[in-house]
Amino acid sequence: MAARASELPPGRSVTAGIIIVGDEILKGHTQDTNTYFLCRTLRSLGVKVCRVSVVPDEVATIAAEITSFSSRFTHVLTAGGIGPTHDDVTFEAVAQAFGEELKPHPELQAAIKALGGEGWEKLSLVPSSARLHYGTDPQTGHPFRFPLISVRNVYLFPGIPELLRRVLEGMKDLFQNTAVRFHSKELYVAAAESSIAPILAEAQAHFGRRLCLGSYPDWGNNYYQVKLTLDSEEEEPLEECLTYLTSRLPQGSLVPYMPSAVEQASMAVYKLAESGSSLGKQVASALQTIETALDRYCLTQLCVGFNGGKDCTALLHLVYAAVKRKFPDVPNPLQILYIRSTSSFSELEQFLQDTIKRYNLQVLEAEGDMKQALVELQMRYPQLKAVLMGTRRTDPYSCGLSSFSPTDPSWPSFMRVNPLLDWTYRNIWDFLRQLFVPYCILYDRGYTSLGSRENTVQNPALKCLSPGGHPIYRPAYLLENEDEERNSRT
């Protein structure tokens, strides 16, 4: 029979356990993204997720976990193991857990027939006490054509991430707990976790059960070393804890970090351009050059030269902001030209992959020196007409360039677009760090100009002694004399 969400007693703490079903998760064949979405959504609904379990496609194992979870938590959500094949055994496992038989359900048989799905008859065999929930499909605004199935307090979700998200969005009323609202705050600390551990322990003891304080180190972030999370069912303890930590953490260690720098690129970049500051004027000038290029060429005729260095990272962020401003609804990815080095740093390769994901980039890859790369680029992508480059006048052979400079006659014919020509080393770093733009971690280890492993070293001008007397290198953005930038190249 069809079912409606049952009302929960006022003030009741609502809990959930999640069971992820699938050999493919345990074997590493598929990356589980369902857990993150389920936990995040349930918490937003006032439901506390207490346990997550990943189990193989084995009836007895799934049944045992369902039996355990269903007696301990308000809701149990399973994901996976629903389908027409031999290894889709979640329905069978639920039936075993509750001592029921699998029986054909007339409504499910009718739904399968209406959908025209041959070979899906297995989906109509459900435990005898199964309930059907049709909810509201967020894509159509109408009830789902095939329902979510539950048995007692166990809800059986599909394992396909896109479908699971769609179903949960349309079934939120089943889990909404209006009696509880979770409040959270994130803080970012530029200090070693070990150095602040005593302060965090004191804070947790001070606030007790009113608040949960979590500490999560991040060794790859350019702006902080530890993310702190404050969670509570009340807002007041969060503010009290913020005041408590601010007065006790090392002075200046709390960073106003913006984790969504890419998503907010357009707003933040144009706000800086309109600020009237000296950096803002440089940003405004660069944007004017980029916008002119976007007027002259369509996106398929343009690419951004990108090798993972600081200058082209700043350029990419600027171009991305301008493209999003001019074409907010165009789904086409931005194109980058990446010239692969034979002996690249692994950190640089990882940064490239991370950047591709952050900005949703299409990579046009080539090998060799710049001239060889452009020859290959022209042959493989004849539609390309211009390359946006992060060149500055202080770069070798660049003092005579202009914002729009055609390649030399002996080179493949491209327009070189140079928005950063008059930027300084300090401008680059001020731009990146003011907007919390992610950059290659090598710059935080004393490298100021990146090439290959054969011709790149840490800059001697940044060498210093640690408090323990060991030699270390300060980050690139602390270089005082800009003329020493290329001391990283041999």
Side-chain angles (χ1 to χ4, degrees), residues 468-480:
H470 304 292
I472 58 172
Y473 288 84
R474 294 179 298 145
Y477 59 84
L478 294 180
L479 183 69
E480 296 175 3

Side-chain angles (χ1 to χ4, degrees), residues 61-84:
T61 304
I62 301 168
E65 205 74 334
I66 288 172
T67 300
S68 171
F69 276 39
S70 64
S71 64
R72 296 156 62 193
F73 309 122
T74 312
H75 304 300
V76 180
L77 291 79
T78 71
I82 298 175

Side-chain angles (χ1 to χ4, degrees), residues 221-464:
N221 195 279
N222 305 120
Y223 300 98
Y224 68 88
Q225 292 170 263
V226 182
K227 180 174 80 170
L228 303 179
T229 60
L230 314 181
D231 287 286
S232 176
E233 292 185 15
E234 301 173 359
E235 210 160 2
E236 186 178 350
L238 298 187
E239 298 305 321
E240 292 177 9
C241 189
L242 175 59
T243 302
Y244 183 96
L245 291 172
T246 301
S247 65
R248 288 164 174 78
L249 289 169
Q251 187 173 5
S253 64
L254 279 176
V255 179
Y257 179 65
M258 183 172 63
S260 54
V262 175
E263 291 85 349
Q264 299 182 29
S266 187
M267 179 189 70
V269 167
Y270 278 88
K271 182 179 179 180
L272 177 56
E274 295 161 4
S275 67
S277 66
S278 57
L279 177 61
K281 292 175 182 177
Q282 291 282 50
V283 171
S285 176
L287 286 173
Q288 186 175 20
T289 300
I290 294 167
E291 288 166 351
T292 301
L294 293 175
D295 288 337
R296 291 186 186 180
Y297 307 99
C298 64
L299 287 179
T300 56
Q301 295 176 312
L302 283 168
C303 69
V304 179
F306 188 81
N307 65 359
K310 61 187 182 302
D311 297 340
C312 59
T313 298
L315 173 65
L316 176 63
H317 201 70
L318 285 162
V319 174
Y320 184 84
V323 168
K324 287 298 179 183
R325 174 98 159 207
K326 187 175 179 66
F327 309 110
D329 300 320
V330 175
N332 292 345
L334 197 59
Q335 300 179 130
I336 63 167
L337 167 61
Y338 177 63
I339 303 175
R340 183 170 294 282
S341 168
T342 55
S343 59
S344 179
F345 287 90
S346 60
E347 294 90 343
L348 203 56
E349 291 291 331
Q350 184 60 55
F351 176 66
L352 172 68
Q353 296 305 317
D354 293 341
T355 302
I356 291 169
K357 292 178 182 177
R358 285 191 193 103
Y359 293 89
N360 185 31
L361 303 173
Q362 180 180 348
V363 183
L364 313 180
E365 194 170 309
E367 293 185 357
D369 59 26
M370 178 60 77
K371 188 172 184 179
Q372 292 171 326
L374 291 179
V375 169
E376 183 179 345
L377 191 69
Q378 195 169 60
M379 290 177 60
R380 293 172 59 190
Y381 308 99
Q383 76 278 8
L384 283 175
K385 303 298 179 185
V387 182
L388 290 136
M389 306 183 74
T391 306
R392 292 184 285 124
R393 290 199 191 281
T394 52
D395 293 336
Y397 317 112
S398 301
C399 59
L401 294 176
S402 60
S403 297
F404 290 83
S405 294
T407 50
D408 295 338
S410 61
W411 283 54
S413 179
F414 284 100
M415 179 63 72
R416 292 172 292 175
V417 184
N418 306 304
L420 306 182
L421 272 182
D422 295 316
W423 283 43
T424 65
Y425 180 86
R426 179 49 46 202
N427 290 153
I428 295 293
W429 281 115
D430 285 348
F431 175 79
L432 292 174
R433 292 193 61 84
Q434 279 190 32
L435 299 187
F436 298 104
V437 179
Y439 56 85
C440 181
I441 197 68
L442 290 172
Y443 288 112
D444 289 334
R445 300 174 184 171
Y447 295 87
T448 53
S449 180
L450 298 180
S452 68
R453 285 185 175 276
E454 280 74 25
N455 66 5
T456 307
V457 297
Q458 290 164 298
N459 195 320
L462 292 171
K463 191 173 183 178
C464 61

